[in-house]
Amino acid sequence: MRSRVFVGRAAELSALRAAYARAEESEMAVVLVAAEAGGGKSRLVEEFVQGRRALVGGCLDLGAASLPYAPFTAMLRRLGPDAVTRLTSPAARRELARLLPALGDAAPDEGSGQVRLFEHVLGLTERLCADDPAVLVVEDAHWADRSTRDLLAFLVNNPVPAKVLLVVTFRTDEPESRALFADLARLPHVTRLDLPPLTRTEVAAQVRGLLGGAAPSMIRDVHARGGGNPLFIEALAENPGEAVPGSLRDLLLTRFRALPDSTRAAVRVASAAGDRVGHDLLTAAADDRGLEEALRPAVDRGVLVADEDGYAFRHALIREAVHLDLLPGERARLHRRYAEAIERDPALTEAPTSALAVHWNACGDHARALEAAWHASGESARAAAYAECLALLRRVLDLWDRVPDAAARIGADRAEVMRLSARVSVTTADFEYGMRTVRTLLKNAGDPDELSQLLSLRGVFRGFAGQSDDLDDFREAERLASRPTPQRVWALTQLSARLSVRGDLAAAERLGREGLDLARELGGHPAVDELRVTVASAAARDGLGDLRPLERLRWADLNDDARIRVFTHLSHSYEGSGRSADALAAIEEGLALAERFGRTHSAGLPMVNNRIEALFRLGRWDEAAGHLRRALDRHHNPAMRIQLGIWAAALRAATGTGPQPEPIALAEPVGSGYPQTSLPLAHRLIDLRLSEDDRPAARAIAETALAHPDLTLQPIFAWPLLEAAARAGVLAPPEVIAHAPVEGAVSTAHAAAVAARTGDASGWETAIGVWESLDHPYSLARALFDAACADLASGARGP
């Protein structure tokens, strides 16, 4: 039985309509709908989407057999392969095929499949809603698998300029996902709706809608005992005058227990499949040709809801209550019947290996559960669902000691499964598990290449944990991989890349070239493209070296990510050599490429920040401010917010307008960390505090930044900071000035300005001359102003 009357929730409906109106203006909006179990979330959304273009997908509880990304797979299926094909490129379809196999063969995964998948889901959303508004609904997100949560967070954190309203429902009484929704609710385009209990007036309207009428005493009783929860009220109203069972489970089972025996038996079978089960699978598991007639009363009484090819429980709480009411032996028998049915005909479910892993485990068949979990881990990896892959590999390891012939069953020994799980934990950021697993493996490793692999992994985990000894592991991994093997290529790739990030560009170039030479000797290697970009960018030396190898890579045959990285490094190198106009041209070309490859929000993201920098240096401040505001609206990754904070401070100091740097940027330490971030941030914050006439704050920032251990490693970051610190009245120690390399026009100009502040009268003339030769009007204006101030101060002191 279901109320014909939708009651209450007027304020919540109004909020949803307001969000939809924002979406109609090509401003992506997100609404999080929160309530306790049975609180009316789905009913509210159902009422809202009537008459609107909507795609709905639900998350399944953890006991259900399903592929990761279940709600998004459901949305794509409802959209249909033909519509997806019209809206996407062939490359995008190969990624989206991870969710919808009807699109064709999925692209091979090289470790970045999840990022590419997320980008293309975002791009499809933008194109789908470019002209006509649509509502995308993710139901029951408290049950979302880790990969679904990550994709959901990616979409919310990167709002597209499209007519899309994303509605997410979740239970407030499920603790696992609270942190995610709390973080998302803080974003400016996100609205959170917490559904309150129904009032007595609303309860009366619901009961009358169910029964046609009710005495005031009954309404008072139902309101008091149901607590304003719509599902509980419905169950109580169905049994007027009867003693109410003492537990919620009994209350929810009242309707179920009133069904005929054959119907109850069929519903019990359905409960073992999860919240929804396909008709053919249920028929196979029930082994009952009269299933449809048996289930009809369950549909009529509102226990189940029939859809195009299966059945779903009217509410997840009802399914939970029915399944928990099974006897242990009965529950095991049902899961075994599902497993046997799927083994006979895998086409009965979209995710046969995942389903088998669930059902064999639930019925206690450890050997088959281990095999199924192993095969399902591969299926999850191919779907770029790395968190689910790791969970399945850990299940394999948990079952290992219970299965005497485990290695023979899966064709891999325990150490190999552990190594694979450690590698997957890198992509899931489960660093504690990964580090613990690597430590265990290191105790028994003897082969130098195996030790090298494990130390490289440990270096990755230490780096993510912020430990300063990560480089030691990469160095030792390279030393151990002394033989000319593919592992040595990997070790050289990782070490050269890490040294490049640390600013040791000469060593990065040398080791990268060695890796390329070895890869050629071996007849090829997957890391070749990465090595080519690392070597070329290291040779460019922040614009102070040879840019020709990097420029030649613009037209080279590289993988998508490597090609985009070329333009990121090229724009940075042009900027370092004072060629901001060339940098801007490279950025626009690179961003167009990232858009074509569906990588704007990942591989292309650094160029979003680089574009603001180039426009700022060219004196095109209004354009820079416009791009900064759009980036702040669309990109909510913490690392990106820190980078944007650098140029927010720069624009604020130069113009006195625009957004202030956010707390996350102001809290970033400037006396440690990567010089590429900490030194420019300190430079611009000093300028900002000086523009606010807060010299003590500027001096404090300068003193902290000048203690950075890698202060002089990269001149293009060191000298601008040294000049800003000098403006604040804080001079670096003479030995630092003496040993800081002065290379290229930009460093020469800043070094001359620092010299001018320490008594070299020709310094301002040199600095001004350099800036006049470059396309940096802001820097020229700054030098002219500072020189004029110095002249005035000199005149005031007299001869």
Side-chain angles (χ1 to χ4, degrees):
M1 187 185 302
R2 185 114 182 231
S3 174
R4 296 182 298 275
V5 180
F6 175 75
V7 300
R9 312 303 189 209
E12 291 77 14
L13 270 178
S14 177
L16 282 166
R17 290 171 183 144
Y20 186 78
R22 293 198 304 274
E24 287 182 304
E25 298 299 320
S26 295
E27 178 186 342
M28 179 177 175
V30 180
V31 177
L32 307 178
V33 180
E36 64 178 348
K41 304 178 292 295
S42 297
R43 186 70 177 89
L44 169 67
V45 174
E46 180 185 313
E47 184 75 14
F48 168 69
V49 299
Q50 286 183 16
R52 293 185 170 94
R53 183 181 176 222
L55 293 173
V56 182
C59 301
L60 307 175
D61 78 8
L62 298 177
S66 64
L67 277 172
Y69 309 114
F72 298 100
T73 296
M75 290 182 199
L76 286 179
R77 192 185 307 112
R78 288 176 173 84
L79 188 58
D82 291 343
V84 174
T85 299
R86 287 195 305 272
L87 292 166
T88 56
S89 66
R93 289 194 290 278
R94 294 187 71 202
E95 301 298 338
L96 294 171
R98 302 181 195 279
L99 305 184
L100 190 64
L103 292 172
D105 294 333
D109 180 35
E110 300 171 352
S112 60
Q114 189 172 73
V115 176
R116 297 198 307 271
L117 173 64
F118 288 10
E119 287 271 6
H120 287 298
V121 171
L122 188 68
L124 174 60
T125 301
E126 184 171 3
R127 285 184 286 277
L128 175 67
C129 305
D131 300 316
D132 300 317
V135 184
L136 307 184
V137 181
V138 176
E139 288 267 35
D140 297 320
H142 51 275
W143 279 327
D145 54 88
R146 165 71 180 277
S147 294
T148 296
R149 292 201 302 271
D150 289 345
L151 175 50
L152 187 61
F154 181 84
L155 296 177
V156 176
N157 276 287
N158 295 284
V160 292
K163 300 178 179 181
V164 56
L165 170 60
L166 176 62
V167 179
V168 183
T169 72
F170 68 98
R171 288 186 190 175
T172 53
D173 46 0
E174 294 285 345
E176 185 174 345
S177 51
R178 285 177 186 165
L180 168 65
F181 298 120
D183 288 341
L184 296 182
R186 296 187 182 100
L187 300 176
H189 58 289
V190 177
T191 301
R192 174 166 171 161
L193 301 179
D194 286 274
L195 306 188
L198 297 179
T199 65
R200 181 185 292 186
T201 301
E202 291 165 344
V203 168
Q206 184 184 4
V207 172
R208 292 187 183 110
L210 284 164
L211 305 178
S217 58
M218 176 191 177
I219 290 170
R220 284 196 300 272
D221 180 66
V222 168
H223 176 255
R225 289 187 293 167
N229 182 295
L231 181 66
F232 303 165
I233 291 164
E234 188 175 318
L236 289 165
E238 287 185 310
N239 302 279
E242 296 183 11
V244 177
S247 71
L248 171 59
R249 185 191 304 175
D250 287 338
L251 178 63
L252 293 171
L253 287 173
T254 301
R255 188 183 306 181
F256 165 74
R257 289 171 176 159
L259 296 171
D261 290 347
S262 61
T263 303
R264 291 201 306 275
V267 172
R268 288 191 185 100
V269 177
S271 74
D275 296 325
R276 187 196 175 280
V277 60
H279 177 80
D280 292 341
L281 177 57
L282 181 57
T283 300
D287 194 22
D288 186 351
R289 294 183 179 178
L291 186 68
E292 289 185 16
E293 286 305 312
L295 288 175
R296 189 173 299 279
V299 174
D300 293 340
R301 292 283 293 170
V303 175
L304 296 178
V305 177
D307 57 27
E308 62 273 11
D309 62 351
Y311 306 91
F313 277 83
R314 157 79 170 75
H315 196 284
L317 287 175
I318 300 173
R319 203 282 302 182
E320 292 173 18
V322 172
H323 197 56
L324 289 172
D325 198 47
L326 298 173
L327 296 173
E330 183 181 16
R331 191 178 301 123
R333 284 194 300 275
L334 287 176
H335 281 291
R336 180 173 292 277
R337 281 156 63 180
Y338 272 108
E340 291 171 344
I342 293 167
E343 279 202 336
R344 288 192 302 269
D345 184 2
L348 289 172
T349 176
E350 292 181 336
T353 54
S354 296
L356 288 171
V358 169
H359 293 303
W360 285 129
N361 193 60
C363 72
D365 192 324
H366 301 313
R368 288 178 169 176
L370 180 142
E371 286 186 65
W374 173 252
H375 293 303
S377 70
E379 185 178 82
S380 293
R382 287 188 292 276
Y386 304 125
E388 287 62 51
C389 175
L390 178 59
L392 287 160
L393 291 171
R394 295 182 70 170
R395 181 179 293 179
V396 171
L397 293 168
D398 289 341
L399 292 170
W400 197 272
D401 290 334
R402 305 182 193 182
V403 183
D405 58 344
R409 283 179 173 272
I410 67 171
D413 62 21
R414 187 174 195 161
E416 186 174 345
V417 179
M418 291 177 69
R419 284 194 296 271
L420 180 57
S421 71
R423 287 196 292 270
V424 175
S425 69
V426 173
T427 63
T428 63
D430 194 342
F431 306 132
E432 182 180 347
Y433 169 80
M435 182 69 87
R436 187 169 65 247
T437 303
V438 166
R439 284 173 181 155
T440 301
L441 289 167
L442 280 169
K443 293 175 183 177
N444 301 308
D447 178 75
D449 274 4
E450 182 185 2
L451 277 169
S452 175
Q453 292 175 22
L454 293 172
L455 286 170
S456 292
L457 271 176
R458 192 172 72 178
V460 171
F461 295 134
R462 284 177 164 171
F464 278 116
Q467 297 177 14
S468 59
D469 53 359
D470 62 329
L471 193 55
D472 295 338
D473 276 340
F474 290 117
R475 291 188 191 279
E476 181 64 8
E478 183 269 331
R479 188 191 68 79
L480 286 167
S482 58
R483 296 174 295 174
T485 64
Q487 172 54 28
R488 177 154 183 80
V489 178
W490 282 121
L492 289 166
T493 301
Q494 291 177 295
L495 179 57
S496 62
R498 182 62 62 177
L499 289 169
S500 179
V501 171
R502 289 287 185 93
D504 192 348
L505 301 177
E509 182 183 2
R510 175 176 54 80
L511 293 170
R513 288 190 185 281
E514 182 184 343
L516 276 176
D517 290 342
L518 179 56
R520 294 188 185 102
E521 290 176 21
L522 295 172
H525 193 280
V528 162
D529 287 354
E530 182 179 347
L531 282 166
R532 292 176 69 187
V533 178
T534 297
V535 167
S537 61
R541 293 182 54 245
D542 299 325
L544 305 177
D546 186 359
L547 274 64
R548 291 173 298 178
L550 197 54
E551 290 174 324
R552 285 194 292 269
L553 287 181
R554 295 174 79 155
W555 300 280
D557 181 18
L558 302 171
N559 65 50
D560 295 352
D561 278 8
R563 287 191 68 191
I564 295 167
R565 282 182 60 213
V566 167
F567 288 93
T568 300
H569 289 296
L570 196 56
S571 64
H572 168 73
S573 297
Y574 283 146
E575 199 66 73
S577 60
R579 297 162 58 184
S580 295
D582 289 337
L584 186 59
I587 289 163
E588 298 302 341
E589 187 176 349
L591 285 172
L593 199 65
E595 175 72 20
R596 197 172 87 203
F597 293 154
R599 307 289 275 119
T600 303
H601 295 268
S602 50
L605 202 55
M607 284 185 285
V608 172
N609 189 70
N610 289 3
R611 178 165 55 187
I612 299 168
E613 177 182 3
L615 289 168
F616 174 84
R617 294 190 186 280
L618 289 168
R620 294 159 61 176
W621 291 340
D622 289 343
E623 291 176 73
H627 282 291
L628 173 63
R629 291 189 180 92
R630 282 190 290 276
L632 287 168
D633 286 343
R634 295 177 189 174
H635 303 293
H636 299 276
N637 174 281
M640 183 65 173
R641 305 298 278 193
I642 293 170
Q643 294 295 324
L644 294 174
I646 294 172
W647 299 106
L651 280 163
R652 189 85 183 176
T655 68
T657 61
Q660 285 276 11
E662 295 181 326
I664 190 172
L666 297 176
E668 181 73 3
V670 295
S672 59
Y674 293 132
Q676 298 96 319
T677 296
S678 49
L679 302 189
L681 179 61
H683 166 199
R684 298 304 175 180
L685 289 177
I686 292 169
D687 281 350
L688 177 61
R689 297 310 174 215
L690 289 175
S691 73
E692 297 169 342
D693 203 23
D694 190 349
R695 184 166 288 268
R699 289 179 61 88
I701 295 167
E703 288 165 356
T704 301
L706 290 180
H708 195 291
D710 295 324
L711 176 64
T712 61
L713 198 58
Q714 291 173 277
I716 67 160
F717 301 120
W719 280 109
L721 171 64
L722 292 174
E723 186 191 350
R727 277 200 298 273
V730 179
L731 292 177
E735 61 271 18
V736 171
I737 299 290
H739 290 95
V742 180
E743 301 178 83
V746 175
S747 295
T748 298
H750 287 294
V754 172
R757 293 180 183 279
T758 57
D760 183 352
S762 65
W764 290 124
E765 184 179 347
T766 300
I768 291 167
V770 171
W771 291 126
E772 285 178 333
S773 70
L774 302 176
D775 50 8
H776 283 188
Y778 172 67
S779 299
L780 174 60
R782 172 91 254 180
L784 288 168
F785 176 77
D786 286 348
C789 290
D791 286 344
L792 287 172
S794 175
R797 286 195 301 268

